[in-house]
Amino acid sequence: MATITPKDHLVEHKSTVPANRDDSVKLFVREYDGTKNKPRKAVLMLHGRSVPALAGLDLQHGKYSWAQSLAEDECDVFVMDLQGSGRSPRPKMNEPCNANPALQEEMLVPNPLSATCSPKYPYQLNNSQSDWDELDTVVEFIRNRHDVQKVALAGWSAASFQLGPYALQHPEKVESLLFLAPMFPPKGRGSKPGTRFDAPVPLPVSAPAAVFGFPMNLTSKDGFEQAWASQLQCPNQREAGMLDVVWKAIMENDTVGKGWGPKEGRAPQGVMRFRNSFWWGWNSTTVPLDGTLGNAVPVLIVYGALDTTANTSPDLGQLHFSVPALYKAIPGPNKLMFRVACTGHQMPWERQSKVLHRMSKQWFKRTAVEGLTNGCFDVDDDGVLTPME
């Protein structure tokens, strides 16, 4: 099969991020035009909290690119970075003092800092409204570019905070939703009382300072590996050398971050820089609004059986995340959930990524998987489906 050559776009947007509000910025969007015969099927893919879009959704290694896999199945695929991530603007993030003060000593001293310092911009960076605004700009770009009425949305991990509420606010623009390992807090932060999706507090947020008093978080290569390794429990779950492949891809999408951090030989190891966010409007109260999800907007959920990132203890309050709770909260009947064996939160980079690719191709073509449109199923290591208990 011929390789589809990507085309990169810089989409004009008027920023609503408080740090650069009203600035004209350019959002990075990669396109794979896979349509051979009309009508077109447009899919927009969105990254999660920390990993930039191309490293996560379009990994150029073997057959791991989820975006390319969909394009080869005749979808028009678009992959975007929100501000603060990947190849989109990163306001306030090139100043190392704006990194989380609790992480500076470990990750930034002595490179690039000689000593720890207080944030020069002592606030969180992006928020739910700024994310929804950027998502809408790119959806409109796609609708106009290819003359489609609706766009299918796919997101990994914390992309659920953007895609879910966006679909609730704009069902006329959304064909379907695919959540991979979605972060869903049943008791998550709500909107302003008496409103549906307005910010609950004035923005930007600075308190508590240890949580919101800075615009940028950091992860080291070692920390990244520790989190991933904690969910490796099956033989050959991850291909040999994948940690280095993925870390290299992350660094290729951050020309500043790759020069920070401790040295490996003569070169810096690099750090993964990601925006410090303030999110609201995604919880067990908002999901059922208007009966939209599972009705006007069908929903597919896929997650790993070993995923302890998207499934945490109920004792954690707002930090309790539960994928099954999201499925349960969706009011309509057009909803599917698959729990995939021998994979965790990093499914796009693991052997079971082939299951994700196969299911998502079926979903975007037919809004069904293996002829199913409703229910919860386990997927074993051989790809066999059984109803979930």
Side-chain angles (χ1 to χ4, degrees):
M1 182 176 293
T3 301
I4 300 171
T5 302
K7 181 177 178 60
D8 291 345
H9 304 279
L10 295 175
V11 179
E12 295 273 356
H13 174 72
K14 185 176 181 179
S15 180
T16 53
V17 172
N20 64 347
R21 181 179 296 279
D22 295 331
D23 285 359
S24 178
V25 299
K26 297 182 186 295
L27 302 175
F28 175 82
V29 177
R30 171 163 291 178
E31 175 186 4
Y32 287 96
D33 186 345
T35 295
K36 295 179 181 177
N37 301 295
K38 292 184 177 180
R40 289 181 177 272
K41 176 73 67 174
V43 178
L44 174 58
M45 308 182 78
L46 184 63
H47 59 84
R49 177 172 176 252
S50 56
V51 175
L54 297 188
L57 308 172
D58 188 26
L59 183 68
Q60 294 301 303
H61 178 75
K63 295 186 178 296
Y64 284 95
S65 172
W66 187 11
Q68 282 187 307
S69 177
L70 289 173
E72 289 168 359
D73 206 46
E74 301 191 25
C75 290
D76 289 346
V77 182
F78 296 82
V79 184
M80 73 171 290
D81 277 314
L82 295 163
Q83 283 197 86
S85 182
R87 303 187 183 190
S88 284
R90 297 186 185 229
K92 307 299 182 183
M93 291 177 65
N94 288 349
E95 168 53 66
C97 289
N98 282 335
N100 184 340
L103 301 175
Q104 291 180 17
E105 179 71 33
E106 173 189 355
M107 298 190 200
L108 301 184
V109 177
N111 176 38
L113 294 174
S114 58
T116 59
C117 47
S118 298
K120 296 182 179 180
Y121 182 81
Y123 308 95
Q124 47 76 215
L125 186 63
N126 63 300
N127 58 72
S128 288
Q129 188 61 59
S130 67
D131 287 349
W132 299 333
D133 292 341
E134 291 172 23
L135 182 58
D136 190 56
T137 289
V138 176
V139 167
E140 285 299 307
F141 168 77
I142 296 169
R143 280 166 29 108
N144 293 328
R145 179 172 176 79
H146 286 317
D147 192 26
V148 294
Q149 292 300 308
K150 294 186 176 184
V151 176
L153 304 178
W156 181 12
S157 189
S160 57
F161 282 91
Q162 289 84 47
L163 301 189
Y166 181 82
L168 290 167
Q169 295 172 79
H170 301 284
E172 75 284 358
K173 300 181 184 182
V174 180
E175 184 173 282
S176 66
L177 283 172
L178 192 163
F179 292 124
L180 168 62
M183 305 299 292
F184 176 69
K187 298 181 180 180
R189 189 178 294 113
S191 304
K192 181 179 179 180
T195 71
R196 289 163 64 93
F197 288 103
D198 290 352
V201 296
L203 301 172
V205 178
S206 60
V211 179
F212 294 119
F214 50 90
M216 174 173 53
N217 261 307
L218 307 170
T219 296
S220 66
K221 185 179 180 181
D222 289 345
F224 180 74
E225 164 62 353
Q226 288 170 13
W228 191 351
S230 70
Q231 298 178 28
L232 296 176
Q233 298 182 24
C234 294
N236 303 315
Q237 181 177 331
R238 180 177 71 179
E239 180 184 330
M242 281 299 288
L243 173 66
D244 289 335
V245 168
V246 172
W247 189 256
K248 180 181 177 182
I250 292 170
M251 294 299 99
E252 287 173 349
N253 285 277
D254 187 354
T255 56
V256 173
K258 72 178 183 180
W260 291 2
K263 297 289 182 72
E264 273 189 343
R266 295 183 178 181
Q269 186 182 77
V271 296
M272 180 165 62
R273 304 182 302 151
F274 58 99
R275 63 227 185 105
N276 190 18
S277 309
F278 183 81
W279 289 326
W280 66 86
W282 185 235
N283 52 50
S284 58
T285 299
T286 56
V287 168
L289 283 175
D290 302 324
T292 296
L293 300 187
N295 283 303
V297 180
V299 180
L300 169 63
I301 300 170
V302 181
Y303 74 104
L306 304 177
D307 190 340
T308 54
T309 302
N311 293 287
T312 61
S313 170
D315 298 333
L316 295 177
Q318 283 192 353
L319 294 179
H320 165 49
F321 298 104
S322 171
V323 178
L326 173 57
Y327 180 87
K328 183 178 179 180
I330 295 170
N334 298 320
K335 59 179 182 177
L336 275 169
M337 182 170 71
F338 294 95
R339 182 172 60 190
V340 183
C342 284
T343 191
H345 200 66
Q346 317 295 11
M347 192 186 305
W349 303 321
E350 295 183 358
R351 182 167 50 85
Q352 291 287 54
S353 61
K354 63 182 184 294
V355 175
L356 171 66
H357 293 189
R358 183 179 74 247
M359 288 183 168
S360 57
K361 288 176 182 179
Q362 293 184 37
W363 177 254
F364 291 127
K365 274 192 171 181
R366 307 180 185 91
T367 324
V369 177
E370 304 296 343
L372 301 165
T373 59
N374 178 270
C376 305
F377 301 87
D378 279 308
V379 186
D380 71 14
D381 203 27
D382 295 318
V384 177
L385 307 183
T386 57
M388 193 182 298
E389 295 181 1

